[in-house]
Amino acid sequence: MKKLTLITTLMFCVAITQAQTETLKEKLARKLKEAKDQKIEKTIDKALGKSEEKLDKSVNGVIEGKEKKNKADKENTEETSNTSNQSGTSNANTSPSAKISATSKFDFISGEKVLYYDDFSRVAVGDFPADINTNASGEVVTLEGKEGKWLNMTKNGAFIPDNIKNLPENFTLEFEVGIDKDPSNNYSGLGLNFNINNDQLFKDMFFAKGTSIVYLHPGAAQATISIIPTQGTDISNEIPMPQWDVNNKTFAKVSIWRQKGRLRVYVDQDKLIDIPRFFTENQVYGFAFFRNFFRECNVFIGNIKYAIAPADTRSKLITEGKFVTRGILFDVNSDQIKPESNGVLKEIAAVLQENPTVKVKIIGHTDSDGNAALNLDLSKQRSAAVKNALSTVFGVDASRLETDGKGAAEPSEPNTTPQGKANNRRVEFIKL
């Protein structure tokens, strides 16, 4: 009986052991399965994470691409708008440039008859103009970001245009000038030498009597005048010139206006100098540019225009019934009026306001360069732009203004020389 009990007990223990052993196996299998499942899940999560990352990058790439495209489209639209303004296809009935102002103090009026115009288009790059005498050196160049050709005055010395001499009592002289490096504030700078003795035109210092000079120095941001009369006391003065300061602005437009003894000098749209007794001698003056800079630098000059000073606008338009001006200037191939036209527009507006019953026709003219049909359209757009400026900026009743354009069909002189073309680019005011 004991034996049977022992066997039964042993069998029960074995059964329990077997049950426990099976449970452990099952547990181990389950754990192994769980570990395997976890590994698979981690692998899947990792893969999904990478996919999500790729998806995010892809989505972000699409968004960034869309943003770049929108930005590019906006820039292209602005560029197209700017290009249309340059090409002369802009609407002339829109508001004129904000640069044209009825309150501007810029009263310069460009000469009515161009005697000499030089944009150096006739001169090969690398050559020196044959009609400019010099004791220095230079060459004609093109400049990045600047239209046309420029004379690079590379060394100190005098530059005497053959076509600017025996100066009349009333004339205007306009040119653009630039510099490429800081020359320091030493030496005299860019000189404009007006002299009764032609031998003195080759100098850049130690001048004899009968000399009147304007110095423009972008290194010092300063203009200086020096007057050495044959009789009386020498005169000199210094004037700040922030308009042409090499540290802020390397290029500028210079406009000079002589009325007998008086000299006015403008830099960009500011009157810099106004001297009633600059030309002290009752003799004919000659003229020369000269440069005198301390450090090595290149000085560029271009778009030189020398003209007979305009007659009285009021008497010409009212008494003669016609006024022609070459002082209303436009951007290239555009009806956008340049700010240096302000003086002429203000003068014409004053005449019309003082004579409220007078009506005028504004007629635009171009030179013969380019397509004839486009020139005709451009001349009409420009006359409309002048009407718009006189009306909206200067307060002239638009009903008193008619417009027309002739393109190159009615030249005032042959289009065979630079000055001939400059004279043909004009605006006429005809009293109706």
Side-chain angles (χ1 to χ4, degrees):
M1 185 67 180
K2 287 182 180 179
K3 191 173 183 178
L4 180 61
T5 303
L6 179 60
I7 292 171
T8 302
T9 302
L10 288 172
M11 289 178 65
F12 180 75
C13 290
V14 169
I16 293 174
T17 302
Q18 287 179 343
Q20 289 177 341
T21 301
E22 287 174 358
T23 302
L24 288 173
K25 285 181 180 180
E26 289 175 356
K27 185 176 181 180
L28 179 60
R30 180 172 57 80
K31 290 292 184 182
L32 288 173
K33 185 175 183 302
E34 287 176 356
K36 186 176 180 181
D37 290 343
Q38 288 176 355
K39 185 176 181 179
I40 292 171
E41 187 174 350
K42 286 181 179 180
T43 302
I44 293 171
D45 289 343
K46 188 176 180 180
L48 286 173
K50 288 183 177 180
S51 297
E52 289 175 353
E53 184 178 354
K54 289 181 180 179
L55 180 62
D56 288 341
K57 287 182 178 179
S58 177
V59 171
N60 290 335
V62 171
I63 294 171
E64 289 175 2
K66 183 67 174 175
E67 290 175 347
K68 288 179 180 179
K69 183 177 185 302
N70 290 339
K71 183 180 179 181
D73 289 344
K74 182 179 179 181
E75 290 174 350
N76 288 336
T77 300
E78 291 173 351
E79 184 177 351
T80 302
S81 175
N82 292 334
T83 302
S84 69
N85 287 336
Q86 291 294 322
S87 65
T89 58
S90 62
N91 184 356
N93 293 321
T94 58
S95 296
S97 170
K99 295 178 182 178
I100 303 297
S101 170
T103 59
S104 172
K105 295 182 180 180
F106 183 71
D107 58 356
F108 175 78
I109 299 178
S110 185
E112 64 176 7
K113 174 68 175 178
V114 178
L115 302 177
Y116 170 64
Y117 180 83
D118 206 345
D119 58 3
F120 305 111
S121 58
R122 72 194 186 287
V123 185
V125 171
D127 287 351
F128 189 89
D131 56 0
I132 295 180
N133 198 2
T134 186
N135 58 4
S137 64
E139 63 176 346
V140 169
V141 299
T142 57
L143 301 176
E144 185 177 354
K146 295 288 183 181
E147 292 185 2
K149 295 179 180 179
W150 298 73
L151 175 59
N152 180 11
M153 300 186 289
T154 56
K155 298 294 181 182
N156 287 345
F159 299 80
I160 308 173
D162 291 341
N163 296 302
I164 305 180
K165 58 185 178 182
N166 300 327
L167 302 178
E169 288 188 339
N170 298 280
F171 71 85
T172 59
L173 175 63
E174 303 165 67
F175 59 91
E176 294 178 60
V177 65
I179 192 167
D180 67 343
K181 297 175 184 175
D182 186 350
S184 86
N185 60 359
N186 294 317
Y187 290 9
S188 51
L190 176 71
L192 311 174
N193 181 4
F194 300 93
N195 213 300
I196 62 171
N197 186 341
N198 287 336
D199 292 338
Q200 296 289 307
L201 294 176
F202 281 101
K203 291 187 176 181
D204 54 20
M205 59 179 64
F206 309 121
F207 295 97
K209 291 183 179 298
T211 301
S212 294
I213 292 181
V214 175
Y215 300 98
L216 305 174
H217 203 310
Q222 177 177 283
T224 305
I225 61 162
S226 178
I227 304 171
I228 310 172
T230 54
Q231 301 290 330
T233 306
D234 294 358
I235 299 171
S236 64
N237 198 8
E238 296 177 350
I239 303 102
M241 185 183 64
Q243 299 87 350
W244 190 29
D245 178 355
V246 72
N247 295 312
N248 300 312
K249 193 170 183 291
T250 55
F251 278 77
K253 169 76 179 286
V254 179
S255 304
I256 296 168
W257 187 359
R258 178 190 182 182
Q259 289 178 309
K260 295 187 177 181
R262 186 172 194 161
L263 180 76
R264 298 182 182 95
V265 179
Y266 306 78
V267 179
D268 288 337
Q269 281 72 64
D270 296 316
K271 183 189 292 184
L272 198 66
I273 297 169
D274 192 346
I275 305 174
R277 296 182 184 178
F278 180 84
F279 297 95
T280 59
E281 310 305 313
N282 190 25
Q283 297 184 50
V284 175
Y285 281 80
F287 171 76
F289 295 102
F290 70 85
R291 56 156 287 172
N292 187 21
F293 289 103
F294 177 68
R295 291 178 183 164
E296 289 293 322
C297 61
N298 292 309
V299 180
F300 308 102
I301 190 167
N303 297 312
I304 304 170
K305 185 166 76 169
Y306 166 57
I308 296 293
D312 181 16
T313 309
R314 302 170 197 275
S315 63
K316 289 280 274 188
L317 183 57
I318 302 304
T319 64
E320 299 181 22
K322 181 179 179 179
F323 175 69
V324 181
T325 178
R326 290 154 181 99
I328 299 178
L329 306 177
F330 302 85
D331 289 344
V332 177
N333 295 327
S334 170
D335 61 2
Q336 186 69 42
I337 300 173
K338 288 189 173 184
E340 52 262 46
S341 309
N342 206 89
V344 182
L345 291 170
K346 184 185 289 186
E347 182 78 359
I348 293 167
V351 172
L352 294 173
Q353 287 165 348
E354 290 172 4
N355 299 272
T357 61
V358 172
K359 295 184 178 181
V360 297
K361 177 180 283 189
I362 306 165
I363 305 174
H365 298 267
T366 70
D367 61 30
S368 61
D369 289 349
N371 181 275
L374 293 179
N375 281 337
L376 179 60
D377 289 342
L378 184 59
S379 67
K380 292 179 178 179
Q381 291 172 352
R382 286 177 169 177
S383 63
V386 172
K387 173 183 175 179
N388 190 41
L390 290 173
S391 174
T392 61
V393 178
F394 296 96
V396 178
D397 186 350
S399 66
R400 299 170 58 196
L401 308 173
E402 297 181 11
T403 65
D404 195 7
K406 300 295 184 180
E410 297 181 3
S412 63
E413 59 186 83
N415 282 288
T416 54
T417 63
Q419 56 263 31
K421 292 178 181 179
N423 277 318
N424 289 330
R425 296 190 293 269
R426 65 198 192 278
V427 178
E428 288 184 311
F429 294 83
I430 308 296
K431 182 181 174 182
L432 297 178

